[in-house]
């Protein structure tokens, strides 16, 4: 929402919107059949590989499953979203 | 042409049995020969909702095990011709029936009935597998709650994995007043998430409780709003194009204002 | 085990005698005698068509066993011959044609007869929905039977509480069996092969009123059970 007048006027978010948002998130995980442990494992593996090439801020690393429009623009598909702040690129590789 | 339709939900208590009883009664009222099969072995309830509990001699397990012939297990409804029930066994469990036996039973029933409605148990285990084994179509029931919608999503996935294409959604116990206030997900919200076709919206109706108490489906009650909604579902099942009554939230002052200002409403 | 040498099966008006081939005749005869000593009273006064399976017998041996059964069980043997499969097949076809709810219950010739005095089980507690309590004798429930609960007994059933579920008394064929309860509001009652259910318009009664159900001429009758007026 770009600008929610309701919120500006001090009204809290409608519960059905909260429900919908929460549901969407839960379903992404359900549909992808992914557990939090799985994500943690993925995260540590990614860090392992990336640190070979660049210096990243591990504490600020953000990784989550979300959804995005599929290529044909028809449906919605799950996507892996990763935000990895880079401190320095190692020119030499390993 | 006969069809096997499974009525399922994943989550318990959203109204599978009530819907099966009402839709089945509605189909019979509209002149289709209909049989209802309760596959909730060990927790049977369709017999009570239909008011036929004291007529049970044979049940689904007897048919599956060959203790009796299919005809012997068909309980004729006490009010309507052309409506029959095959009850579940109560003192057995879900493993007493196998999917292959359900397929065989439905093949036999197809010869005699226009519609075969299967009341599915809650859950995704053996009982669910039995219930969907012979189904051509599926109706997924949900209520406008996160838990029910989440389970419905899981069920839709499982139905598709089992090659039951295009399941239809029946939203039960909708409260228009709460939707208007924004305190309940609207039909659009649910469809947006589940992305399947809608076959009906049943408003929350006290008369459902009353009719279940009496063992008479609400669809017989001309004053019941839920009954009316079920009549529409029946017509849609039979292929009619019945418009949906709008249960969406009000275009309230704030929203209208936002639109006036050219802001996106959501 | 002794028992496995010979077994009795009842089918319609027939007694089927199954004898293991590998035992010699004297051993078989001894087993039959023992078996008749323990259960022969069930045949008392019956007239039986006896058919045997398993061991082949000659005429003399047939006569010996036949006489033994007549003597030990005080039954009349109408015929005594070897069982052949062909006849059995005919029988099974017949049962398939038989269109009635009654063939659900495998009524036995040797049904439980200990209604006056016989094996009795006492079940303490509420029989809840989905529970099946069964016994090869009389059954007393010290508690309620809820809707969806099932009681199946070869003999009488007495419920010291409210009976709202399904009860089958005389389940293997004894029509003399009775069902009594402090409050009789069953989903369904069965005595031997007779099934009954309460009328659709019946109003549930409040409070306890002991009643007893029994069968006369294939109809279930229910009477108030107040012994002082009897």
């Amino acid at each position: 929402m770009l600008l929610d007048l309701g919120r500006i006027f001090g009204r809290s978010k409608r519960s059905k919107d909260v429900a919908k948002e929460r549901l969407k998130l839960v379903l992404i995980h359900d549909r992808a059949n992914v557990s939090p442990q799985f994500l943690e494992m993925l995260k540590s593996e990614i860090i392992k590989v990336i640190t070979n090439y660049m210096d990243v801020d591990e504490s600020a690393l953000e990784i989550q499953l979300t959804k995005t429009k599929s290529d044909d623009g028809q449906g919605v598909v799950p996507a892996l979203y990763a935000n990895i702040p880079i401190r320095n690129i190692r020119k030499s590789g390993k | 042409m006969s069809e096997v339709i499974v009525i399922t939900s994943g989550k318990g208590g959203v109204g599978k049995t009530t819907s099966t009883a009402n839709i089945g009664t509605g189909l019979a009222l509209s002149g289709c020969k209909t049989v209802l099969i309760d596959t909730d072995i060990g927790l049977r309830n369709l017999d009570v909702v239909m008011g036929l509990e004291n007529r049970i001699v044979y049940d689904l397990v007897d048919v599956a095990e060959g203790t009796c012939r299919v005809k012997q297990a068909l309980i004729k409804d006490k009010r309507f011709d052309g409506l029959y029930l095959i009850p579940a066994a109560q003192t057995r469990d879900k493993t007493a029936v196998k999917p292959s036996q359900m397929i065989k039973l439905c093949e036999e029933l197809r010869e005699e009935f226009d519609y075969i409605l299967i009341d599915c148990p809650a859950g995704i285990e053996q009982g669910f597998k039995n219930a969907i084994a012979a189904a051509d179509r599926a109706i997924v029931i949900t209520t406008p709650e996160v838990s029910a919608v989440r389970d419905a999503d899981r069920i839709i996935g499982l139905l598709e994995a089992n090659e039951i294409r295009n399941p239809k959604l029946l939203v039960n116990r909708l409260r228009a007043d709460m939707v208007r206030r924004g305190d309940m997900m609207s039909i659009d919200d649910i469809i947006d998430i589940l992305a399947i076709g809608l076959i009906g919206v049943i408003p929350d109706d006290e008369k459902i409780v009353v009719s279940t108490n009496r063992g008479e489906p609400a669809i017989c009650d001309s004053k019941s709003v839920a009954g009316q909604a079920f009549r529409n579902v029946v017509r849609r099942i039979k292929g009619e194009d019945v418009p949906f009554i709008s249960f969406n939230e009000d275009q309230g002052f704030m929203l209208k204002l936002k639109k006036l200002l050219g802001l996106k409403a959501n | 085990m002794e028992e496995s040498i010979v077994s009795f099966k009842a089918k319609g008006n027939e007694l089927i005698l199954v004898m293991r081939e590998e035992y010699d005749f004297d051993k078989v005869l001894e087993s039959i005698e023992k078996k008749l000593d323990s259960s022969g009273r069930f045949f008392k006064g019956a007239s039986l068509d006896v058919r045997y399976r398993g061991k082949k017998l000659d005429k003399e041996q047939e006569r010996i066993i036949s006489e033994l059964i007549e003597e030990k069980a005080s039954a009349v043997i109408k015929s005594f011959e070897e069982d052949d499969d062909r006849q059995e097949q005919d029988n099974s076809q017949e049962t398939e044609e038989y269109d009635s709810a009654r063939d659900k219950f495998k009524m036995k010739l040797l049904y439980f007869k200990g209604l006056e005095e016989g094996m009795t089980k006492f079940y303490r507690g509420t029989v809840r929905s989905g529970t099946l309590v069964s016994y090869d004798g009389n059954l007393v429930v010290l508690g309620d039977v809820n809707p969806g609960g099932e009681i199946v007994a070869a003999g009488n059933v007495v419920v010291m509480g409210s009976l709202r579920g399904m009860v089958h008394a005389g389940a293997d064929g004894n029509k003399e069996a009775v069902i009594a309860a402090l409050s009789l509001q069953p989903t369904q009652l069965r005595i031997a092969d007779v099934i009954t259910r309460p009328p659709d318009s019946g109003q549930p009664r409040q409070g306890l009123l002991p009643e007893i159900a029994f069968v006369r001429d294939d109809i279930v009758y229910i009477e108030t059970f107040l012994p002082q007026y009897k």
Side-chain angles (χ1 to χ4, degrees):
Chain A
M1 249 177 261
L2 198 63
L3 175 64
D4 191 321
L5 288 176
R7 261 199 230 167
I8 291 170
F9 292 139
R11 236 175 53 187
S12 63
K13 203 170 182 187
R14 293 178 305 176
S15 71
K16 76 124 183 176
D17 292 323
V18 179
K20 206 175 158 186
E21 262 171 46
R22 289 180 56 218
L23 243 176
K24 278 183 174 168
L25 265 173
V26 166
L27 287 184
I28 288 160
H29 285 253
D30 283 357
R31 286 172 186 167
N33 202 9
V34 161
S35 66
Q37 292 92 319
F38 176 93
L39 272 184
E40 273 309 306
M41 278 164 62
L42 183 68
K43 192 167 151 183
S44 59
E45 294 273 328
I46 288 175
I47 292 173
K48 229 195 304 183
V49 175
I50 290 181
T51 46
N52 287 337
Y53 299 91
M54 48 190 84
D55 188 12
V56 298
D57 182 3
E58 282 181 37
S59 60
L61 191 141
E62 212 184 313
I63 185 160
Q64 65 184 78
L65 268 178
T66 147
K67 60 181 185 178
T68 183
K69 280 245 161 64
S70 60
D71 286 344
D72 57 4
Q74 291 291 306
V76 177
V77 293
L80 185 69
Y81 165 85
N83 184 6
I84 310 169
I86 301 165
R87 287 209 190 100
N88 200 4
I89 292 179
R90 300 178 194 192
K91 292 258 161 55
S92 58
K94 282 192 189 193
Chain B
M1 188 212 71
S2 80
E3 268 193 305
V4 182
I5 305 176
V6 61
I7 295 174
T8 179
S9 72
K11 187 177 179 298
V14 296
K16 286 178 295 296
T17 302
T18 311
S19 301
T20 309
N22 278 291
I23 295 170
T25 306
L27 284 167
L29 274 171
S30 73
C32 298
K33 209 171 171 202
T34 304
V35 58
L36 314 179
I37 307 177
D38 188 352
T39 57
D40 203 348
I41 300 164
L43 287 167
R44 76 173 173 215
N45 271 324
L46 190 52
D47 55 329
V48 186
V49 174
M50 301 285 295
L52 299 172
E53 69 274 16
N54 53 22
R55 288 165 164 77
I56 298 173
V57 177
Y58 294 107
D59 54 51
L60 183 61
V61 174
D62 289 315
V63 177
E65 288 178 348
T67 316
C68 72
R69 282 172 295 112
V70 176
K71 273 220 168 81
Q72 291 174 296
L74 289 170
I75 300 173
K76 201 184 164 305
D77 187 72
K78 54 185 176 190
R79 288 167 296 263
F80 304 110
D81 286 334
L83 183 59
Y84 292 81
L85 168 73
I86 297 181
Q90 181 68 343
T91 54
R92 303 289 295 273
D93 62 66
K94 310 280 193 272
T95 55
V97 173
K98 288 200 283 286
S100 59
Q101 293 168 326
M102 284 301 295
I103 294 170
K104 189 167 161 272
L105 168 65
C106 288
E107 280 314 310
E108 204 171 328
L109 291 171
R110 269 178 211 271
E111 286 171 22
E112 192 145 344
F113 291 93
D114 301 315
Y115 286 99
I116 299 156
L117 293 195
I118 299 175
D119 184 18
C120 179
I124 53 174
E125 295 84 16
Q126 180 76 32
F128 172 74
K129 288 177 186 139
N130 288 336
I132 65 165
D136 304 316
R137 288 213 264 171
I139 294 177
V140 178
I141 316 260
T142 187
T143 55
E145 289 154 59
V146 269
S147 49
V149 175
R150 180 192 193 176
D151 290 357
D153 188 74
R154 181 98 171 90
I155 286 297
I156 294 163
L158 287 171
L159 288 170
E160 283 168 352
N162 284 278
E163 315 241 302
I164 299 172
R165 304 276 170 218
N166 293 322
K168 289 279 184 283
L169 188 70
L170 180 65
V171 181
N172 196 13
R173 256 178 254 147
L174 191 83
R175 289 189 48 183
D177 55 331
M178 288 184 74
V179 173
R180 255 178 250 126
R181 287 203 304 269
D183 277 334
M184 183 178 266
M185 281 185 283
S186 68
I187 299 303
D188 291 342
D189 292 331
I190 298 168
I191 293 292
D192 181 34
I193 288 168
L194 295 179
I196 63 169
L198 189 65
I199 197 150
V201 179
I202 314 297
D204 197 28
D205 185 0
E206 285 183 7
K207 289 210 172 70
I208 289 283
V209 180
V210 178
S211 68
T212 307
N213 287 347
R214 294 186 198 282
E216 299 165 357
I219 200 164
C220 314
D221 181 352
S222 57
K223 290 192 202 89
S224 159
V225 281
Q228 177 57 47
F230 275 120
R231 278 191 285 275
N232 288 342
V233 172
V234 167
R235 287 168 62 194
R236 288 185 199 114
I237 288 175
K238 295 182 78 177
E240 266 183 70
D241 189 15
V242 187
F244 286 93
I245 310 157
S246 170
F247 286 104
N248 285 337
E249 58 207 284
D250 269 353
Q251 297 280 303
F253 170 72
M254 283 301 170
L255 282 145
K256 279 177 190 157
L257 185 63
K258 278 189 240 179
K259 280 194 176 161
L260 270 177
L261 293 170
L263 298 169
K264 231 173 108 195
N266 220 335
Chain C
M1 243 181 73
E2 286 285 320
E3 268 184 314
S4 63
I5 302 174
V6 168
S7 66
F8 293 159
K9 280 181 191 159
K11 199 173 116 190
N13 280 321
E14 297 166 353
L15 170 68
I16 295 172
L17 192 58
V18 184
M19 296 167 290
R20 295 276 290 273
E21 266 178 284
E22 59 268 37
Y23 293 94
D24 60 34
F25 183 69
D26 289 340
K27 187 87 178 151
V28 167
L29 200 63
E30 194 191 316
S31 283
I32 294 176
E33 197 169 344
K34 268 194 192 148
K35 197 126 185 137
L36 286 171
D37 278 337
S38 64
S39 59
R41 61 199 160 89
F42 289 128
F43 301 100
K44 201 171 173 179
S47 56
L48 303 169
D49 286 307
V50 182
R51 295 202 280 154
Y52 62 87
R53 289 180 192 169
K55 199 170 172 60
K56 304 273 179 217
L57 302 174
D58 60 32
K59 286 280 166 229
E60 177 63 13
Q61 289 171 331
E62 282 186 7
R63 192 188 55 81
I64 293 172
I65 295 178
S66 178
E67 275 176 14
L68 181 73
I69 296 174
E70 283 198 285
E71 184 203 319
K72 287 274 180 191
S74 3
V76 181
I77 308 285
K78 287 201 293 184
S79 66
F80 196 100
E81 58 193 16
E82 197 182 348
D83 191 27
D84 54 45
D85 292 341
R86 188 180 46 78
Q87 263 176 305
E88 201 184 7
Q89 261 178 1
D90 289 349
N91 255 347
S92 64
Q93 266 171 12
E94 226 168 88
T95 24
E96 202 159 334
E97 290 301 308
Y98 184 42
D99 190 5
S100 152
R102 288 184 168 195
D103 55 349
K104 166 148 185 146
F105 317 118
K106 308 257 171 336
M107 294 301 136
K108 294 186 198 158
L109 187 68
L110 309 177
Y111 57 74
F112 178 79
K113 293 208 177 75
L115 294 178
E116 296 280 328
E117 188 180 330
M119 295 290 284
T120 301
K121 175 177 177 165
F122 286 79
Y123 181 93
R124 255 172 219 274
T126 307
V127 181
R128 297 186 188 278
S129 180
T131 316
L132 169 68
V133 178
S134 66
Y135 188 62
D136 233 0
N138 303 305
L139 191 54
V140 178
V141 178
L142 299 167
D144 295 344
V145 180
N146 283 354
E150 291 184 15
I151 303 284
V152 176
N156 299 315
V157 176
V158 176
V159 178
M160 298 300 287
S162 294
L163 167 46
R164 301 185 209 93
M166 198 284 289
V167 171
H168 192 179
D172 58 4
N174 197 336
K175 282 193 184 164
E176 301 295 311
V178 298
I179 300 168
L182 294 188
S183 170
L184 194 66
Q185 299 170 37
T187 314
Q188 202 180 73
L189 285 183
R190 302 172 183 172
I191 296 177
D193 57 357
V194 184
I195 302 174
T196 189
R197 60 176 170 82
D200 288 326
S201 53
Q203 283 294 315
R205 220 187 24 248
Q206 298 299 312
L208 298 181
L209 173 70
E211 285 180 310
I212 185 164
F214 54 88
V215 168
R216 293 283 177 274
D217 302 322
D218 278 1
I219 295 171
V220 176
Y221 291 86
I222 294 173
E223 279 181 359
T224 313
F225 185 68
L226 294 168
Q228 61 265 41
Y229 299 124
K230 281 220 155 181

